[in-house]
Amino acid sequence: MSERSQHQTGRTAAYDSAFLRACRREPVPHTPVWFMRQAGRSLPEYRKVREGIPMLESCMRPELVTEITLQPVRRHGVDAAIFFSDIVVPLKAIGIDLDIKPGIGPVVENPIRTRADLERLRPLSGDDVPYVTEAVRMLTAELGATPLIGFAGAPFTLASYLVEGGPSRNHEHTKALMYGDPELWADLLDRLADITSAFLKVQIEAGASAVQLFDSWVGALAPADYRRHVMPASAKVFDAVAGYGVPRIHFGVGTGELLGLMGEAGADVVGADWRVPLDEAARRVGPGKALQGNLDPAVLFAPREAVEEKAAAVLEAAAGLEGHVFNLGHGVLPTTDPDALTRLVEFVHERSAR
């Protein structure tokens, strides 16, 4: 049976996992838990295997990607693995001159700001990222009944890196292009939507059970600008992978004002950061969607009792939801004590056992 038809019939080992059931808004034995950036600098075993290997290179070594992705599953007992990669991997794969600089993030050598620059964004195919296919296949074989979440950066966030040339606090070049040349902006996001869709398809066809679209920077926009300038491209991505039948998760930071629109863009699960309680987030998103989140990552630095009190409050706010996946409101902070994460998984599982 091909991977695609397997996904369409749902006959994967992970199909009945708590995580996928929650995404589909079905009854679960306990609230499933995974963490954004669960495979990363908070783990000593991660730092050890990554030693001396640049970030982008580590994303292109299937054995290393497999090991790093599995580390938090082994250590924390989370309900899903997230594919270890970076949102700029597909851009690098099509020849964009960029690098991930330690302590800074992705830096693009020649930012994209004119129509002529668009030509550098050629379509992505599976042949550009054979290491992704290989790593996903290795992972699904190892993970068995534990789902693997594939992921990609959303068109707006990728555009922001490309236009700014790196991370930006105010997104001034991005917004100048968006407001000043809306046609060029729409064409840029449309190309990025195609690249992102192709990147997600590669992961799904290799065996990923769900996908998450990260729109890390979109919280910088007002709802009217999101609807006009961003939503069409995000919707195109969700639409492109709809036929696979895998849950589609949408997450952004500082997106409390955009939650309804992010759901409208086509996600099955909407991720909320810690600024909006989940019951209020559900009201903004509306019926027919599961929610993901949303413990403040900084809470993990507090004593155990405080962490459990805050986690219990998240579970309480989620009590009436159609489906809930417990997560942090953003990624695990690098100096987090890994044992605090392990205890949190145990606490959520015990507290939410049905």
Side-chain angles (χ1 to χ4, degrees):
M1 188 184 284
S2 75
E3 293 291 352
R4 179 155 192 164
S5 60
Q6 225 184 20
H7 277 293
Q8 283 170 333
T9 55
R11 289 180 204 154
T12 58
Y15 185 78
D16 271 323
S17 62
F19 168 74
L20 289 177
R21 289 182 71 87
C23 290
R24 296 193 302 262
R25 297 175 288 124
E26 293 170 4
V28 288
H30 59 260
T31 299
V33 190
W34 71 277
F35 305 117
M36 290 176 274
R37 290 199 208 121
Q38 62 188 15
R41 289 171 292 176
S42 64
L43 297 180
E45 56 266 42
Y46 168 82
R47 295 195 293 271
K48 191 176 172 191
V49 296
R50 269 280 323 272
E51 216 172 325
I53 305 171
M55 178 63 184
L56 276 170
E57 190 189 322
S58 65
C59 296
M60 296 172 190
R61 294 192 187 180
E63 288 83 5
L64 186 58
V65 168
T66 301
E67 167 59 22
I68 291 170
T69 303
L70 290 172
Q71 285 174 349
V73 180
R74 286 190 210 116
R75 184 190 266 259
H76 304 312
V78 285
D79 294 280
I82 178 131
F83 187 63
F84 177 75
S85 186
D86 189 274
I87 63 169
V88 297
V89 165
L91 299 179
K92 184 75 173 177
I94 60 166
I96 297 294
D97 188 359
L98 60 81
D99 199 11
I100 297 174
K101 305 253 169 99
I104 299 171
V107 176
V108 179
E109 194 57 42
N110 300 300
I112 286 184
R113 293 183 188 163
T114 68
R115 187 156 288 281
D117 292 335
L118 276 190
E119 296 315 307
R120 285 152 49 202
L121 293 174
R122 67 166 177 82
L124 175 91
S125 80
D127 297 338
D128 295 313
V129 286
Y131 44 86
V132 170
T133 299
E134 193 181 335
V136 171
R137 286 191 177 145
M138 289 167 74
L139 274 162
T140 46
E142 288 272 339
L143 284 163
T146 302
L148 176 68
I149 305 166
F151 89 97
F156 175 83
T157 292
L158 294 180
S160 172
Y161 280 118
L162 287 170
V163 174
E164 298 292 338
S168 169
R169 183 162 296 196
N170 299 309
H171 308 279
E172 49 267 53
H173 294 294
T174 307
K175 290 184 177 183
L177 178 61
M178 185 174 82
Y179 299 134
D181 193 342
E183 261 181 56
L184 173 57
W185 172 261
D187 292 345
L188 168 61
L189 258 67
D190 194 59
R191 286 204 184 204
L192 290 170
D194 289 339
I195 291 164
T196 298
S197 302
F199 192 56
L200 289 177
K201 284 177 179 177
V202 166
Q203 295 171 68
I204 297 167
E205 288 178 6
S209 299
V211 289
Q212 174 157 309
L213 195 63
F214 281 85
D215 216 346
S216 315
W217 300 126
V218 81
L221 297 184
D225 289 332
Y226 178 88
R227 183 183 282 283
R228 181 180 171 197
H229 296 292
V230 175
M231 201 163 139
S234 296
K236 186 177 189 184
V237 175
F238 286 124
D239 201 43
V241 297
Y244 292 98
V246 303
R248 299 157 297 168
I249 311 167
H250 202 4
F251 173 76
V253 189
T255 50
E257 298 299 323
L258 305 177
L259 288 171
L261 293 169
M262 288 173 74
E264 223 179 290
D268 303 296
V269 184
V270 178
D273 73 10
W274 66 93
R275 296 169 178 88
V276 180
L278 284 177
D279 47 358
E280 170 59 19
R283 196 189 65 72
R284 295 181 188 187
V285 170
K289 310 275 180 192
L291 266 80
Q292 178 176 282
N294 68 342
L295 185 73
D296 183 342
V299 166
L300 287 156
F301 291 83
R304 179 176 183 164
E305 297 71 31
V307 175
E308 293 184 354
E309 190 183 325
K310 287 288 197 183
V314 170
L315 290 171
E316 204 172 306
L321 303 187
E322 297 178 63
H324 176 221
V325 175
F326 190 99
N327 207 313
L328 302 179
H330 197 202
V332 173
L333 296 166
T335 51
T336 304
D337 175 5
D339 291 342
L341 288 166
T342 306
R343 288 195 299 266
L344 178 57
V345 174
E346 285 168 4
F347 174 81
V348 173
H349 283 171
E350 282 168 24
R351 174 59 75 99
S352 66
R354 314 285 195 261

